[in-house]
Amino acid sequence: MLKLLISLMFVIPLCFINQGWWMVQSILFFMVFMFMLMNMTGPFFMGLSYFMGYDALSYGLILLSLWICALMITASESVSRSNNQSGFFLLMILLLLGFLVCTFSSMNLFLFYLFFESSLVPTLFLILGWGYQPERLQAGVYLLFYTLLASLPLLIGVFYLQSSQLSLFMPMNMKTDLCGMLVYLSLVMAFLVKMPMFLVHLWLPKAHVEAPVSGSMILAGVLLKLGGYGLLRVFSVLTKSGLSFNFIWVSVSLVGGALVSLICLRQTDLKALIAYSSVAHMGIVLGGLMTMSYWGFSGSFTLMIAHGLCSSGLFCLANISYERTGSRSLLINRGLMNFMPSMTLWWFLLSSTNMAAPPSLNLVSEIGLLNSLVGWTWVSMVMLSLVSFFSAAYTLYLYSYSQHGKFYAGLYACAGGYVREYLLLFLHWVPLNLLILKSEPCMLWL
């Protein structure tokens, strides 16, 4: 673990040297491959053990964090080109990455809480410092207050666990079972807001729309997964009370998923549409997770990884269009097939993975989640069918409305993408569709 953190620490001075941008990016990619090789030499991740929060769950999410952070630097080349405080920008990304690695690999619940909260600060700086519109201040305040307000009870819950069990070491608490409505709420609420569950999701679209592309990528790619990860960890302590109260969250998240999908169908802002679709996807993740079944846990973990890559790629695409046309409105970004014909393929590939088309990891995970929810109660089939139908509907709306149709007359031009952009999209899409060939770690990590 220390290898990763120390190498990240030594990369920090490189942020501020001349031409350090691509050097930092290359080192991050190198770290990703070293990290992959570190534990994949033996069969079934033999090297993990207590090195990484004791299972493949942390391993997958740390790998996702490293990958997304390396791609964030690739996507934000405009910061380097305009020399908009690029040194500090890289510093924020590295700090955020350090906090995320610590969050996913800490085995003490209090340390987990500490890093869980501190990952907010660099994200807030990314939104406030490199966002687009003046409303980013309001978005930052929303992000801060929603998350902080819900996670103060978590701190009290963690200390209560400490006083009753005399230990916060996660594997030692496996056999405990806390009962009581208040303890349950205090330990679960922070993660529900972070997921975000429907009804406490308002901070997410605001933060996404105002954030720069890197902020959106890390928000959709990794920060939403902190909620799911926290729930997966906390439920080892809350089994009994979970069986009593979880039906509330399942129903809220399924009904919310259907409603948010309807909201998606009338969005005109590209980024807002993708942000709301994240809420709908995380609703299914939350529903499956709350059933507390084996299928639900493994399906939710897999969908967290898949959604991280998929929505991050879609935000990159929205940003590529935004850099060319200067607008994120679907009314102006029409008929992009005429304007950027080579990007249409990537829009198609990433939109199809967003609606869980066959070769993608989304498909495996959604099958697992449908299985767990329908097995939990067949009544959930009604809402699940609506969510599945509408998610296909809004993805088709996003794709067809932006690619087809009459082109906006103010732009008579044709633009190709940079090699950097094609590489960026390729690196989002390939792991998403190749991981399905190696899906055992996703299903057998428990």
Side-chain angles (χ1 to χ4, degrees), residues 156-401:
I156 299 163
V158 165
F159 286 145
Y160 174 77
L161 185 63
Q162 159 85 35
S163 65
S164 59
Q165 295 307 316
L166 303 178
S167 160
L168 286 176
F169 185 57
M170 287 181 195
M172 279 180 75
N173 288 331
M174 283 296 212
K175 294 284 177 281
T176 24
D177 214 347
L178 294 178
C179 285
M181 183 79 171
L182 280 175
V183 183
Y184 173 76
L185 269 179
S186 66
L187 283 172
V188 160
M189 206 59 212
F191 302 126
L192 294 181
V193 171
K194 198 76 171 178
M195 282 286 288
M197 184 183 73
F198 182 70
L199 299 182
V200 283
H201 69 285
L202 280 178
W203 62 272
L204 183 80
K206 268 195 182 330
H208 268 313
V209 169
E210 302 306 326
V213 60
S214 54
S216 290
M217 283 169 72
I218 198 72
L219 263 174
V222 188
L223 292 179
L224 300 190
K225 316 302 173 267
L226 283 171
Y229 174 79
L231 286 174
L232 286 167
R233 286 281 182 248
V234 159
F235 271 132
S236 59
V237 187
L238 292 176
T239 320
K240 252 186 215 145
S241 30
L243 292 172
S244 316
F245 306 125
N246 275 359
F247 69 94
I248 304 167
W249 312 126
V250 177
S251 42
V252 167
S253 56
L254 285 179
V255 173
L259 291 176
V260 166
S261 303
L262 287 172
I263 294 175
C264 279
L265 281 170
R266 53 182 306 274
Q267 289 300 317
T268 53
D269 185 323
L270 277 173
K271 256 191 171 178
L273 203 161
I274 303 165
Y276 276 111
S277 83
S278 292
V279 180
H281 278 116
M282 294 325 268
I284 304 176
V285 169
L286 190 60
L289 208 156
M290 290 290 180
T291 59
M292 293 178 71
S293 59
Y294 186 91
W295 272 105
F297 277 0
S298 44
S300 58
F301 168 60
T302 320
L303 189 53
M304 286 196 292
I305 301 280
H307 173 264
L309 289 164
C310 174
S311 66
S312 171
L314 281 169
F315 278 116
C316 289
L317 273 170
N319 183 65
I320 288 168
S321 307
Y322 175 70
E323 282 181 356
R324 304 297 192 285
T325 58
S327 165
R328 286 193 313 265
S329 166
L330 269 171
L331 301 169
I332 290 178
N333 286 303
R334 275 186 324 189
L336 285 179
M337 195 184 270
N338 305 320
F339 179 57
M340 297 185 78
S342 49
M343 277 298 162
T344 303
L345 172 68
W346 289 108
W347 274 103
F348 170 73
L349 291 174
L350 284 162
S351 301
S352 60
T353 51
N354 196 38
M355 57 173 156
S360 65
L361 199 59
N362 299 51
L363 181 72
V364 182
S365 46
E366 287 202 12
I367 289 172
L369 289 170
L370 291 174
N371 202 339
S372 70
L373 281 161
V374 174
W376 185 68
T377 168
W378 61 269
V379 183
S380 64
M381 287 171 74
V382 182
M383 277 303 156
L384 279 173
S385 53
L386 283 176
V387 171
S388 302
F389 174 74
F390 285 127
S391 76
Y394 65 68
T395 311
L396 277 171
Y397 159 67
L398 168 70
Y399 174 73
S400 59
Y401 209 93

Side-chain angles (χ1 to χ4, degrees), residues 144-157:
L144 204 60
F145 277 85
Y146 261 93
T147 321
L148 281 181
L149 193 68
S151 49
L152 280 174
L154 174 63
L155 186 61
I156 299 163

Side-chain angles (χ1 to χ4, degrees), residues 37-87:
L37 292 172
M38 229 166 11
N39 300 301
M40 286 194 178
T41 44
F44 270 104
F45 298 87
M46 278 165 48
L48 285 183
S49 66
Y50 284 104
F51 155 62
M52 302 271 305
Y54 72 90
D55 58 10
L57 167 61
S58 316
Y59 180 78
L61 286 166
I62 290 185
L63 190 56
L64 181 71
S65 310
L66 280 164
W67 190 244
I68 296 283
C69 282
L71 291 177
M72 277 161 69
I73 300 179
T74 318
S76 310
E77 194 256 352
S78 57
V79 174
S80 153
R81 197 173 17 172
S82 59
N83 203 11
N84 181 9
Q85 302 290 346
S86 54

